[in-house]
């Protein structure tokens, strides 16, 4: 997490977002608010919830039955009983998660403090967004994306599997279903998602089905993880363009899921070691 990305908070916002306080029920500006758009994190500006997932619960706080994939982290609250929800990127306290209440078919309620969010009306561009790409060893793919225009930050981790909080050793067995993935935080006023997808295809061998270069295994396969329908459409369109050009495309397009951060020594690996990628370099494709 880059501190320079974070927005300044007033004392009340700090009380809720940093010190994990709670705003008084029925006082938040989004409690009884149902316009179409996106709710983003007050602290880092990244999307958290789509308006279609918001519902009326009469609990006194905004309620959602689904987060944007990869946007929200769950952890045991300090009280040892409830499940706290935080922004998966910056750790901002959002509220708590409750299950089994029967409000919607998804049977989940994200109870969120209004002060932890900002609303972006439908049709307006979200300034900061995220994308998830698996392109072989995440050391190399992170190295490449970090240098691209408009990219604000990157983190490496694991996505796509069913094992919670997997370790590198477990992922390397190829049995957890995870892929080595890089999270790209970008300024959408500088670079578009389509540009990032095209860059992704240019920095690895997307025709290889069993891994990437000498790195063979399920965890090294080529995957684009989308967080919304627009990303799915763009990724599919670029992939189809390459196929129409006669290229073999092994890349899978999957819905994003929980993103588990890799161990600290994997983050910015090539910057730490002074080495350079051995199977990632940019080649002209488009």
């Amino acid at each position: 997490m880059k501190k320079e990305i974070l927005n300044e908070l007033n004392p009340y916002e700090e009380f809720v977002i940093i010190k994990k306080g709670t705003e008084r029920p029925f006082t938040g500006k989004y409690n009884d608010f149902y316009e179409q758009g996106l709710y983003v994190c007050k602290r880092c500006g990244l999307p958290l919830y789509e308006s279609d997932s918001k519902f009326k619960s009469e609990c006194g706080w905004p309620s959602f039955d689904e987060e944007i994939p990869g946007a929200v982290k769950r952890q045991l609250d300090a009280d040892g009983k409830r499940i706290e929800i935080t922004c998966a990127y910056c750790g901002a306290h959002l509220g708590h998660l409750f299950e089994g209440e029967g409000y919607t078919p998804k049977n989940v309620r994200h109870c969120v403090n209004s002060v932890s969010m900002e609303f972006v009306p439908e049709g307006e561009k979200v300034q900061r967004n995220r994308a998830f790409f698996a392109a072989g060893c995440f050391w190399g793919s992170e190295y490449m994306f970090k240098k691209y225009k408009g990219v604000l930050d990157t983190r490496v981790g694991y996505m796509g599997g069913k094992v919670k909080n997997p370790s590198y050793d477990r992922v390397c067995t190829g049995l957890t279903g995870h892929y080595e993935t890089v999270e790209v935080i970008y300024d959408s006023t500088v670079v578009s998602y389509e540009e990032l997808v095209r860059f992704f295809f240019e920095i690895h061998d997307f025709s290889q089905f069993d891994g990437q270069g000498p790195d063979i295994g399920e965890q090294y396969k080529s995957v684009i993880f989308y967080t919304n329908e627009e990303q799915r459409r763009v990724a599919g369109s670029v992939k189809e363009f390459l196929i129409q050009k006669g290229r073999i495309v092994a890349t899978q397009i999957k819905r994003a899921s929980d993103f588990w951060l890799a161990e600290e020594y994997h983050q910015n690996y090539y910057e730490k070691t002074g080495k350079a990628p051995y199977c990632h370099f940019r080649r002209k494709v488009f």
Side-chain angles (χ1 to χ4, degrees):
M1 179 184 68
K2 283 191 173 180
K3 291 184 178 180
E4 54 265 36
I5 294 177
L6 305 183
N7 300 316
E8 290 188 11
L9 304 176
N10 64 39
Y12 180 62
E13 291 167 346
E14 283 195 8
F15 164 70
V16 175
I17 294 171
I18 305 299
K19 299 179 181 178
K20 303 182 185 296
T22 302
E23 65 189 7
R24 289 185 294 112
F26 302 101
T27 63
K29 61 181 177 179
Y30 301 127
N31 178 52
D32 194 22
F33 180 90
Y34 296 97
E35 293 185 16
Q36 291 295 302
L38 281 175
Y39 294 85
V40 304
C41 176
K42 174 69 70 67
R43 192 182 187 203
C44 69
L46 289 173
L48 297 170
Y49 301 99
E50 294 182 346
S51 58
D52 289 346
S53 68
K54 194 172 189 292
F55 65 93
K56 199 175 189 69
S57 69
E58 301 293 353
C59 71
W61 295 273
S63 298
F64 303 86
D65 65 2
E66 185 178 39
E67 74 270 31
I68 292 172
V72 174
K73 180 181 178 181
R74 297 162 170 78
Q75 59 195 29
L76 188 64
D77 190 80
D79 64 15
K81 299 177 181 179
R82 294 176 298 172
I83 299 299
E84 181 193 7
I85 48 177
T86 63
C87 172
Y89 177 71
C90 72
H93 174 72
L94 304 177
H96 294 88
L97 182 142
F98 302 93
E99 298 179 287
E101 298 175 323
Y103 283 108
T104 75
K106 294 174 184 174
N107 214 14
V108 171
R109 176 169 61 95
H110 292 242
C111 184
V112 186
N113 293 289
S114 290
V115 73
S116 297
M117 304 181 293
E118 286 287 357
F119 179 73
V120 180
E122 186 175 48
E124 288 190 16
K125 181 176 287 189
V126 176
Q127 181 171 342
R128 293 172 185 164
N129 214 330
R130 56 158 54 85
F132 295 103
F133 301 104
C137 175
F138 49 25
W139 296 345
S141 53
E142 180 184 44
Y143 177 89
M144 299 299 292
F145 273 111
K146 188 173 286 291
K147 298 177 180 299
Y148 197 65
K149 65 175 183 178
V151 172
L152 303 172
D153 196 13
T154 58
R155 303 190 300 178
V156 298
Y158 315 110
M159 183 172 278
K162 296 182 179 179
V163 176
K164 293 184 177 181
N165 199 24
S167 67
Y168 180 69
D169 289 340
R170 290 195 70 183
V171 172
C172 283
T173 66
L175 301 177
T176 69
H178 291 90
Y179 302 87
E180 290 198 7
T181 303
V182 59
E183 177 188 39
V184 179
I185 308 299
Y186 64 98
D187 185 337
S188 61
T189 66
V190 176
V191 60
S192 70
Y193 180 70
E194 182 171 349
E195 288 177 277
L196 293 174
V197 170
R198 286 173 174 257
F199 183 67
F200 159 81
F201 279 113
E202 291 190 328
I203 63 171
H204 77 296
D205 181 5
F206 54 82
S207 69
Q208 188 173 340
F209 284 87
D210 59 355
Q212 197 59 207
D215 296 325
I216 306 302
E218 186 71 17
Q219 70 273 27
Y220 296 120
K221 290 183 178 180
S222 175
V223 186
I224 298 173
F225 291 102
Y226 63 87
T227 65
N228 56 43
E229 283 304 300
E230 176 63 14
Q231 288 190 356
R232 184 194 63 78
R233 183 193 65 77
V234 170
S237 177
V238 176
K239 177 178 177 177
E240 183 60 26
F241 174 81
L242 292 171
I243 293 173
Q244 291 300 318
K245 286 183 63 177
R247 306 296 294 267
I248 296 172
V249 184
T251 303
Q252 303 173 68
I253 299 175
K254 296 174 173 282
R255 188 172 188 269
S257 55
D258 289 334
F259 178 65
W260 303 100
L261 278 180
E263 295 82 348
E264 179 56 33
Y265 73 91
H266 289 298
Q267 309 297 331
N268 302 307
Y269 179 82
Y270 284 120
E271 288 185 10
K272 291 175 179 175
T273 62
K275 298 178 182 179
Y278 54 85
C279 61
H280 288 85
F281 58 90
R282 191 172 187 181
R283 55 186 69 75
K284 184 172 177 57
V285 172
F286 299 95

